[in-house]
Amino acid sequence: MQTIRRTRAADQTPEIHRPATKPSAIRRGLRWIARRRTALLSSALRGAAYATGAGVIGLVFFAIRQQI
């Protein structure tokens, strides 16, 4: 009768390697956003500040125009 010798490598589960495929456009876009999150948030905040300032100035000129 033959005995089976098990080695430490045989006890470990093998790693499953997926074939190298190109990630989808959505996944690439999400990774791009994740890498540039700080820059995007800073740009969004700057844009919101400019929009708020433009709105306030517009309201001031509208109020002045109504007074004349």
Side-chain angles (χ1 to χ4, degrees):
M1 190 176 201
Q2 217 175 15
T3 60
I4 299 173
R5 285 184 59 194
R6 297 187 73 172
T7 63
R8 184 178 290 186
D11 291 337
Q12 295 175 351
T13 56
E15 292 183 22
I16 298 172
H17 295 285
R18 293 185 180 171
T21 59
K22 194 173 186 181
S24 68
I26 293 172
R27 185 169 297 241
R28 281 184 284 147
L30 290 175
R31 284 184 182 171
W32 183 85
I33 289 171
R35 284 193 308 268
R36 290 163 178 80
R37 182 174 292 146
T38 304
L40 290 172
L41 287 175
S42 129
S43 294
L45 183 61
R46 183 180 300 125
Y50 284 142
T52 303
V56 168
I57 296 298
L59 287 174
V60 167
F61 276 98
F62 179 74
I64 291 172
R65 190 97 194 243
Q66 293 300 318
Q67 295 294 329
I68 294 178

